[in-house]
Amino acid sequence: MENVSVQDIVLATGGVLLSGDDGVMLNKIRLDSRQVETGDLFVPIIGEKVDAHKFLEQVAEKGAGAVLTSEHKEKTEEMAETSCAWIAVDDTKKALQAVGRYLRKRLTLPIVGVTGSVGKTTTREMIAAALSARFHVYKTPGNSNSQVGVPITVSEITKEDEVGVLELGMSEPGELTVIARIAKPDVAVITNIGITHIEQLGSRENIYREKLTIQDGLSDGGILILNGDDDMLCRTRGKAGVKTVYYGTGETCDYRAVDIVLMDGKTEFTVVHAGKTQKVLLNVMGTHNVMNALAAIAVCCERGMTMEEAAEGLLTFHGFKHRQQVYADGRFTVMDDSYNASPASMKAALDVFQGLTGKRHIAVLADMKELGGNYLAYHREVGEYAANSGVDLVVTLGEACRSLAEGVRAVKEIPVVEFSDCGEMVKYLEAEIRDGDCVLFKGSNSMGLSAVADQFVEMAGR
């Protein structure tokens, strides 16, 4: 945080200063007591398992500049023993969000907000890369896209930053409205409407309605950028006073990709906009990444950049760990897309995997989570897709992947080996993978495939 005092936090939260000096300047907002350093603001969140209020005295003694508390209404002896400022609020999470809204109002730079069922993190990174050809860009670090992550992200934007690119997540009804009103984006991007979090939201239609609430933070004169190839978004118009822009491969899209060529590890296409064309080269593979890049180009052009500048910026994007990273310099090729999984991203990964050169293509697929009551049908659907994607061997991990295996077998006579234990699967793969093979690792993050992928990347290099 820059130039933020205890008094600012009291003003933002509507809290009461129980102890300490309201003129003290604060550094960072911390939710983890172990990370607190001198001058930080500690916000104790009440979680399902742990109430972080129990760490208040500890962080105060450690040198925190201020703490929020919903458990104290008056000054205690313990407070007086430290220089830490104690601020009483009704609800610490809501107070944190109020701080985020307060700090956002102090910022003058434009904010790009990105949401969607699949691809929002990659799209965020591509937008940031493209914008960096002209601007100093601040982007969401890691996965700080939640009701508590976004306020912290906003607090870390500095006066050197010229544009912010924030990922806005959602897993329950009403959440995106809260987040969007903190971020107050000038440009809002929706990548697609899928079935991620359908377990919590009930239907794709409900997910669609929730994703559109990103507009609750979009001001009049803002821009809504939509995936024109998505069957629901292509028929959507932004709210009154908002400009709607579409990207995709369809004739009616404002930013349209043509002449798409997938090479080994790279993608090339031409973007058409307002009668002009621009060749674009990506250092990542997949038609889904063409869509992500189109969103980035649309953002750049709507913010006054040229398509040439955007294409130059996109060259700096090389993907990131556990998200479609291809390691092809060893004894065998590893495609690590183990960070997370949904039916759409599984299919996209298989499409990219199909384009890699190797003797055999081995797809190691683990359970997909948060798919609701139809999760077995979605797994079977992915299995059927895998059978038609050119793979030579499918290895599955998890109970739900039994249905995926059934889907494979229903379409083609491809070898399928099923595991419920990760250790046993690793032993099998160590014996099975041969020099020259291509191996894909894809599954939900909780299935632990990232560590397995790391192990085989190391093994391939020996």
Side-chain angles (χ1 to χ4, degrees):
M1 295 186 291
E2 290 186 332
N3 301 316
V4 177
S5 67
V6 169
Q7 179 59 38
D8 288 322
I9 302 302
V10 173
L11 178 64
T13 61
V16 176
L17 181 61
L18 300 179
S19 178
D21 181 355
D22 66 1
V24 169
M25 305 304 291
L26 301 172
N27 297 326
K28 289 180 174 290
I29 299 175
R30 302 287 191 183
L31 305 184
D32 188 335
S33 62
R34 296 166 296 184
Q35 297 177 345
V36 172
E37 297 179 357
T38 302
D40 287 344
L41 168 65
F42 177 62
V43 181
I45 299 298
I46 301 174
E48 293 182 6
K49 296 181 179 179
V50 177
D51 181 350
H53 279 84
K54 71 178 186 178
F55 303 115
L56 287 178
E57 290 185 21
Q58 174 186 322
V59 299
E61 293 172 359
K62 193 176 179 179
V67 298
L68 300 186
T69 175
S70 61
E71 289 193 347
H72 301 80
K73 302 302 179 185
E74 55 187 34
K75 186 174 182 178
T76 66
E77 292 183 9
E78 288 78 15
M79 294 179 191
E81 291 175 358
T82 71
S83 60
C84 177
W86 291 63
I87 304 169
V89 296
D90 293 331
D91 183 306
T92 53
K93 185 167 81 168
K94 289 181 178 179
L96 173 61
Q97 294 164 356
V99 170
R101 290 191 295 272
Y102 174 82
L103 295 179
R104 174 65 180 101
K105 287 179 182 177
R106 301 200 333 180
L107 298 173
T108 57
L109 84 174
I111 295 287
V112 180
V114 183
T115 194
S117 295
V118 178
K120 56 183 174 290
T121 300
T122 302
T123 303
R124 174 199 81 198
E125 293 293 314
M126 283 196 176
I127 292 171
L131 286 168
S132 68
R134 182 185 289 192
F135 301 108
H136 190 283
V137 181
Y138 179 87
K139 62 184 180 181
T140 297
N143 296 306
S144 300
N145 62 3
S146 66
Q147 294 186 56
V148 296
V150 171
I152 296 174
T153 298
V154 168
S155 77
E156 293 178 352
I157 297 173
T158 71
K159 60 180 180 296
E160 280 76 33
D161 298 312
E162 298 174 302
V163 60
V165 183
L166 306 189
E167 181 177 330
L168 310 182
M170 177 206 74
S171 60
E172 59 186 43
E175 185 173 19
L176 188 54
T177 290
V178 172
I179 293 170
R181 286 175 175 166
I182 296 169
K184 295 289 290 182
D186 302 276
V187 180
V189 179
I190 306 180
T191 62
N192 46 56
I193 306 298
I195 57 173
T196 305
H197 303 308
I198 199 168
E199 188 172 7
Q200 293 90 340
L201 292 162
S203 69
R204 190 164 173 251
E205 289 70 24
N206 288 342
I207 293 171
Y208 167 76
R209 284 190 286 270
E210 289 295 329
K211 291 298 182 186
L212 283 180
T213 63
I214 193 173
Q215 295 184 96
D216 291 344
L218 194 59
S219 59
D220 288 346
I223 302 169
L224 180 64
I225 299 179
L226 303 174
N227 179 345
D229 287 0
D230 185 278
D231 64 332
M232 301 183 90
L233 294 175
C234 68
R235 303 189 300 269
T236 300
R237 299 294 299 179
K239 68 180 183 178
V242 166
K243 179 182 179 181
T244 308
V245 174
Y246 301 93
Y247 65 91
T249 58
E251 292 285 342
T252 60
C253 290
D254 302 289
Y255 295 83
R256 182 164 61 96
V258 299
D259 302 329
I260 300 171
V261 179
L262 304 180
M263 300 166 282
D264 202 11
K266 297 181 184 295
T267 304
E268 188 177 86
F269 67 97
T270 298
V271 59
V272 181
H273 169 62
K276 298 181 180 179
T277 63
Q278 174 66 46
K279 284 275 190 184
V280 179
L281 177 65
L282 303 177
N283 290 308
V284 289
M285 283 188 66
T287 55
H288 62 292
N289 278 319
V290 172
M291 298 299 292
N292 299 336
L294 282 172
I297 293 166
V299 169
C300 288
C301 291
E302 296 299 323
R303 292 302 307 176
M305 291 174 62
T306 66
M307 288 195 291
E308 183 178 5
E309 284 178 307
E312 179 185 344
L314 284 168
L315 280 171
T316 66
F317 178 74
H318 294 270
F320 38 96
K321 194 171 178 64
H322 301 310
R323 295 178 190 260
Q324 290 202 355
Q325 291 289 284
V326 177
Y327 302 89
D329 299 327
R331 295 189 295 110
F332 52 86
T333 296
V334 174
M335 179 175 161
D336 177 7
D337 198 15
S338 57
Y339 176 77
N340 222 333
S342 67
S345 67
M346 279 276 199
K347 293 173 183 178
L350 287 163
D351 288 343
V352 174
F353 188 52
Q354 188 174 202
L356 300 180
T357 302
K359 292 180 179 178
R360 293 187 305 164
H361 284 67
I362 302 171
V364 182
L365 308 176
D367 287 356
M368 300 175 285
K369 303 295 187 180
E370 297 184 343
L371 298 183
N374 292 324
Y375 72 102
L376 294 180
Y378 292 127
H379 280 82
R380 184 181 177 90
E381 179 185 315
V382 169
E384 293 170 355
Y385 194 90
N388 288 316
S389 68
V391 297
D392 301 291
L393 169 64
V394 176
V395 178
T396 68
L397 176 65
E399 294 299 314
C401 270
R402 289 181 178 179
S403 292
L404 190 153
E406 289 172 3
V408 174
R409 295 187 181 108
V411 175
K412 283 186 180 178
E413 292 185 6
I414 297 171
V416 181
V417 184
E418 301 176 59
F419 291 93
S420 57
D421 181 81
C422 189
E424 291 299 317
M425 183 191 73
V426 169
K427 290 178 184 178
Y428 168 79
L429 291 172
E430 287 174 338
E432 178 64 28
I433 296 173
R434 308 167 196 162
D435 290 0
D437 285 343
C438 287
V439 189
L440 164 66
F441 293 94
K442 180 71 174 172
S444 281
N445 195 35
S446 60
M447 295 303 293
L449 277 191
S450 294
V452 177
D454 288 342
Q455 177 181 336
F456 281 89
V457 168
E458 182 181 351
M459 187 183 301
R462 291 175 185 167

